[in-house]
Amino acid sequence: MATYKEKVGTSVVNYAGNYPGAVDGELWYDSTNKDFKYQYPNVTAAGSWSTGNSMNTARGELGAAGASKDSAVAYGGENSPGVQAITELYNGTNWTEVNDLNTVRKQVGGLGTNNTAALALGGRLDPGPRIANVEQWNGTNWTEVNDLNQTKGSTAGSGTITSGICIGGDIPPSTNQTELWNGTNWTEVNNLNTAREDVGSGKTNSDNTTALAFGGDAPPQTNKTEEWNGASWAEVADLSVTRTTLTGMGDNTNGLAVGGENPSGRLGSTEEWSSTSTVTKTVSTD
């Protein structure tokens, strides 16, 4: 294995800020912040899935919100014999059934960071059309708020109940529409580059200025990933596995794409997203 001397030499670079030419493990002096810094690989420890307690009502095509496994909410969806308005809260151990949605629906989008603050976005009645209805959850009750500009189901959401984003969906056909929520109204903004429904999203961004959209059904099914910067979408690295009807977690810096399906069948595979391959760390000089 190469030594530090062989990789970077013996002298320490003096640079104003983060040194763009640094290699992994290299030390330099940041003359702006008056700190020694070094760069190391952004490696996360391998994780695993474990089984938790089941929901009270089994269902698919439901909405969900929450930034933590200890504070989540799930609502709507479909099981046999039909579409549901049921809402359940998760506290890290158990699911508890609470007050229902006002409008029964499946293919519902969701956003919000905990089980006391969430939005239910659009969806589809059964039998019946797609809807634009949006409801806000306060930990106890659902309240109808201003509708999306476009009726749609199978949409994705990210952000908070005061600064959220609604991504794509099925009108039909699949749409590339993006709508921003400011806590009161929805505003149409620049579209996705690829129209799609059943798209995954990183759900826990802190506002509507950042978001990640991945996979979905255009059709055909896609592995494309796009990142939102508050003004427009840009294509970034694709998923390894093309899939639709998947779910997402995390944000546009660190996230997960989970499950879904493609022509090979239903999937249990998980992919991890990281927007950076290296991390800069400050060395204490105290």
Side-chain angles (χ1 to χ4, degrees):
M1 187 174 75
T3 65
Y4 185 88
K5 180 178 179 179
E6 289 169 334
K7 289 177 66 177
V8 298
T10 55
S11 56
V12 175
V13 173
N14 186 325
Y15 192 85
N18 289 336
Y19 177 42
V23 299
D24 290 350
E26 181 173 0
L27 181 74
W28 75 92
Y29 182 73
D30 178 353
S31 59
T32 299
N33 296 294
K34 296 181 172 56
D35 282 316
F36 286 97
K37 294 183 177 181
Y38 71 95
Q39 182 166 289
Y40 63 96
N42 184 18
V43 178
T44 57
S48 61
W49 294 99
S50 59
T51 301
N53 288 330
S54 298
M55 300 180 74
N56 293 285
T57 301
R59 52 203 143 133
E61 299 184 323
L62 68 168
S68 165
K69 66 181 181 63
D70 298 322
S71 181
V73 57
Y75 36 90
E78 181 179 29
N79 70 357
S80 180
V83 177
Q84 304 290 326
I86 294 171
T87 301
E88 298 189 39
L89 300 186
Y90 190 66
N91 63 5
T93 304
N94 297 306
W95 291 95
T96 302
E97 194 170 324
V98 289
N99 287 327
D100 290 352
L101 287 162
N102 293 289
T103 301
V104 176
R105 59 182 107 174
K106 63 179 180 178
Q107 298 176 4
V108 55
L111 65 83
T113 54
N114 57 57
N115 63 14
T116 63
L119 291 182
L121 311 175
R124 187 177 182 183
L125 309 177
D126 189 27
R130 280 81 172 168
I131 59 176
N133 299 47
V134 177
E135 298 185 37
Q136 182 170 318
W137 173 252
N138 65 4
T140 305
N141 297 302
W142 289 99
T143 302
E144 291 195 21
V145 292
N146 283 330
D147 290 353
L148 295 165
N149 290 287
Q150 175 67 57
T151 59
K152 52 189 141 181
S154 303
T155 190
S158 180
T160 71
I161 61 169
T162 59
S163 183
I165 184 171
C166 180
I167 307 164
D170 174 28
I171 293 177
S174 300
T175 180
N176 57 3
Q177 286 179 338
T178 302
E179 299 190 34
L180 297 188
W181 172 253
N182 63 6
T184 305
N185 296 304
W186 292 96
T187 303
E188 286 193 33
V189 288
N190 284 327
N191 293 335
L192 286 161
N193 293 287
T194 300
R196 50 186 124 169
E197 60 194 80
D198 292 320
V199 58
S201 68
K203 295 184 179 301
T204 56
N205 290 287
S206 59
D207 58 31
N208 62 21
T209 64
T210 56
L212 201 67
F214 39 87
D217 195 354
Q221 294 174 7
T222 181
N223 64 350
K224 290 186 181 298
T225 301
E226 298 186 39
E227 186 170 12
W228 172 254
N229 65 6
S232 60
W233 291 96
E235 290 193 18
V236 289
D238 293 344
L239 286 166
S240 301
V241 178
T242 295
R243 55 178 107 179
T244 186
T245 64
L246 72 165
T247 193
M249 307 169 194
D251 57 26
N252 66 315
T253 302
N254 292 286
L256 293 176
V258 182
E261 59 185 317
N262 62 22
S264 68
R266 291 188 171 91
L267 304 169
S269 58
T270 300
E271 295 187 44
E272 183 175 354
W273 168 263
S274 175
S275 65
T276 58
S277 59
T278 58
V279 175
T280 298
K281 188 172 181 64
T282 299
V283 181
S284 174
T285 55
D286 295 338

